[in-house]
Amino acid sequence: MGQNSALPGVRPLAAVHLREALTAAANGHTPAALAALMHIDAESWQAINSRLGQLGADLLDALALAARTGGTP
């Protein structure tokens, strides 16, 4: 079966904003990271938090990892 209807999806524009936030964090531009995060809609936030939770992480973990590694795995 397809995507679980109980979990909302991450809208494409929200994914772009999340990527912008992670890139900004990787480059040490905290204000730009926060600005990008402010554009994410509530439904996408739920999906992002849920998916990060499944990985045993949260948004702060993701931002810290990006900042620490410069965005490279």
Side-chain angles (χ1 to χ4, degrees), residues 56-69:
D58 61 21
L59 182 62
L60 291 177
D61 294 329
L63 291 170
L65 179 63
R68 192 170 54 249
T69 64

Side-chain angles (χ1 to χ4, degrees), residues 2 5 12 28 41 43-44 47-48 53-54 56 58 66:
S5 61
D41 64 278
E43 190 173 310
S44 294
I48 290 166
Q54 291 170 352
D58 61 21

